[in-house]
Amino acid sequence: MNKRKQYLHPEPFVLESGKSLEKLTLAYHTFGRMNAAKDNVIWVFHALTANSDVLSWWPTLAGKAKALDPSENFIICVNVLGSYYGTTGPRSPHPLNGHIYGLGFPQFTVRDVVNSQLLLAEHLGIDKIKLIIGGSFGGFQALEFALLFPGRIDHMVVVGTSAKETAWSIAIHESQRLALTADTTFSGNDHESGQDGMRAARGIGLLTYRTYEAYKLTQSDHDSRLDDFSAASYIRFQGDKLVNRFHAHCYWYLTKCLDTHDLGRGRGGVEKALAQISMPSLAIGITTDRLVPVAEQKIIASNIPGGSFVEIESEFGHDGFLIEGERIGKIVKEFIG
């Protein structure tokens, strides 16, 4: 069993905004061992509310005899800045006064997230990477990493992601934040702050992660009930699950972080930025993904010189990037050889 590890950066970490974190802690997991040539590193980037234990949330892709096999590779995944699983974020104590940051935590960007991870790469002596891979928000990070760690990555795979956050997704995030802030406890600074708002925000998100067809197939009622419908129970259940493992302040900050994603910012636009990515790259799209449609992955593949695109059929919409891990794994194996 691989335990969560922590890296404490000894110097202030400056954000894109100009604000800084005096003490930055990064939580991460590693699986397997780095070989003598240090050329078997696979860096996995996680999605919105996941953590660094990639074997727990992507088990059909990562694990023994899977596409991302720790018996052959050194697999690393870092918990993102602002999360609730050990990396510095809104629920961390401020180093100067010991008080929990709460809503006083500075806002940060996807680029900040990746720049923090580069500190860990340097600390671990990682100078070459066999594969970087991520889905959804993890794909945002992978794309930024490709540009910020140039010439040292052999392959990149991104799934259900885009080179710039879309107006559609930003509108969804703002709707979620309106739900969060409508909860009068959200402005508090304790463990329970904003829990009802986060339940509602999660419900909004769940409408975009799956599809009409998937809900009809799995949540339809086959009786004549007048209340407590299966679909309603499902939304409440998923909201409670998130409340039991996450915090509303982290959810708010991470949705704000997603909105900042723009690979072309300061690089002459998205097309020019993608053209700077030199390694063979694969963008995988999911036919039914209505949160990040396949058109976004086609943009990535068509503008990276060594880019390619594969579309997979799935009834699970955006969540297909997690659920279809076995099929994605076969594609990844063939791609990296």
Side-chain angles (χ1 to χ4, degrees):
M1 179 68 70
N2 287 61
K3 295 182 179 179
R4 187 176 72 182
K5 305 170 184 178
Q6 288 189 326
Y7 165 65
L8 177 61
H9 187 57
E11 300 175 1
F13 177 65
V14 181
L15 303 168
E16 275 199 275
S17 65
K19 296 182 179 181
S20 63
L21 297 170
E22 292 303 313
K23 291 185 178 180
L24 171 67
T25 298
L26 296 175
Y28 66 102
H29 276 76
T30 63
F31 304 90
R33 293 186 178 183
M34 197 182 308
N35 61 19
K38 296 185 176 182
D39 61 359
N40 68 331
V41 177
I42 293 178
W43 199 299
V44 182
F45 303 90
H46 72 72
L48 187 64
T49 63
N51 55 51
S52 55
D53 185 5
V54 60
L55 269 62
S56 71
W57 53 262
W58 224 350
T60 53
L61 181 68
K64 187 175 181 180
K66 305 291 173 56
L68 311 184
D69 190 339
S71 68
E72 300 176 358
N73 302 287
F74 179 68
I75 301 170
I76 181 168
C77 183
V78 186
N79 185 225
V80 299
L81 182 68
S83 188
Y84 194 52
Y85 296 112
T87 291
T88 299
R91 304 315 299 166
S92 301
H94 194 294
L96 298 182
N97 57 30
H99 296 158
I100 299 298
Y101 277 103
L103 297 175
F105 195 72
Q107 290 191 31
F108 54 91
T109 68
V110 176
R111 202 167 294 174
D112 289 327
V113 169
V114 173
N115 276 322
S116 73
Q117 295 171 352
L118 292 174
L119 299 174
L120 180 61
E122 182 178 4
H123 171 72
L124 296 176
I126 295 174
D127 195 51
K128 185 177 182 181
I129 298 177
K130 175 181 176 180
L131 169 70
I132 59 173
I133 182 170
S136 193
F137 177 29
F140 291 4
Q141 298 167 65
L143 289 164
E144 277 287 349
F145 202 99
L147 287 170
L148 295 171
F149 201 72
R152 293 173 284 178
I153 303 169
D154 292 337
H155 301 86
M156 176 174 69
V157 175
V158 294
V159 190
T161 199
S162 62
K164 180 178 180 179
E165 189 61 291
T166 64
W168 166 243
S169 291
I170 292 171
I172 293 166
H173 301 153
E174 185 64 16
S175 299
Q176 292 178 298
R177 290 190 292 268
L178 288 171
L180 286 166
T181 55
D183 183 341
T184 57
T185 71
F186 180 73
S187 59
N189 198 15
D190 56 36
H191 181 71
E192 291 79 22
S193 298
Q195 289 188 341
D196 284 342
M198 187 162 65
R199 286 185 179 92
R202 185 64 163 178
I204 294 169
L206 287 165
L207 298 179
T208 71
Y209 300 154
R210 297 291 178 96
T211 64
Y212 164 86
E213 292 80 9
Y215 274 94
K216 185 175 181 180
L217 178 66
T218 64
Q219 302 301 327
S220 291
D221 297 298
H222 302 289
D223 54 28
S224 300
R225 70 183 67 186
L226 298 176
D227 200 358
D228 196 28
F229 298 99
S230 297
S233 298
Y234 173 76
I235 293 295
R236 292 196 303 271
F237 172 74
Q238 293 295 336
D240 288 340
K241 278 182 65 177
L242 186 64
V243 161
N244 289 333
R245 69 175 180 85
F246 216 68
H247 197 283
H249 292 171
C250 297
Y251 203 80
W252 189 91
Y253 274 90
L254 287 172
T255 63
K256 294 290 284 188
C257 175
L258 293 177
D259 291 353
T260 71
H261 177 53
D262 180 359
L263 204 66
R265 186 175 64 255
R267 297 173 176 139
V270 164
E271 291 183 1
K272 289 184 178 179
L274 288 169
Q276 296 173 40
I277 296 176
S278 58
M279 81 285 291
S281 301
L282 175 64
I284 300 175
I286 300 163
T287 53
T288 54
D289 191 341
R290 290 162 193 171
L291 179 61
V292 193
V294 295
E296 297 298 327
Q297 293 90 62
K298 289 179 179 178
I299 289 172
I300 293 170
S302 63
N303 284 284
I304 294 176
S308 56
F309 169 76
V310 171
E311 186 171 348
I312 62 173
E313 295 280 345
S314 174
E315 65 186 34
F316 296 110
H318 188 66
D319 270 356
F321 88 89
L322 291 171
I323 298 171
E324 305 288 1
E326 186 173 345
R327 294 169 66 190
I328 292 169
K330 291 178 181 178
I331 295 169
V332 170
K333 276 188 172 181
E334 182 177 347
F335 175 64
I336 64 178

